[in-house]
Amino acid sequence: MDLKPTVNMGAIDRGLRIVVGLVLLALVFVGPQTLWGLLGIVPLATAVFRWCPAYSLLGMNTCKS
């Protein structure tokens, strides 16, 4: 049984997801103050774990190693 996490996200992709996630989360507190900003949790979570389920389904990999 292999417990090594699968990484399919590169550094640039990860950085962009962090920025987008933080901007979306900021919408909860500033700006229109809607709960739609909570969608920012999705790109932040994928960036933290460096794994995107959509990439796995599509067979994509932006990680160089």
Side-chain angles (χ1 to χ4, degrees):
M1 181 180 205
D2 186 18
L3 296 177
K4 182 181 175 188
T6 304
V7 175
N8 64 2
M9 188 180 307
I12 294 172
D13 191 7
R14 186 176 184 205
L16 288 173
R17 286 173 188 255
I18 290 172
V19 170
V20 169
L22 290 174
V23 167
L24 287 174
L25 280 176
L27 292 177
V28 175
F29 305 103
V30 199
Q33 297 181 346
T34 65
L35 291 179
W36 283 103
L38 292 177
L39 289 174
I41 294 172
V42 174
L44 272 178
T46 58
V48 166
F49 294 111
R50 296 173 47 190
W51 179 75
C52 177
Y55 281 5
S56 293
L57 289 173
L58 297 172
M60 294 175 58
N61 188 349
T62 61
C63 186
K64 291 183 179 171
S65 59

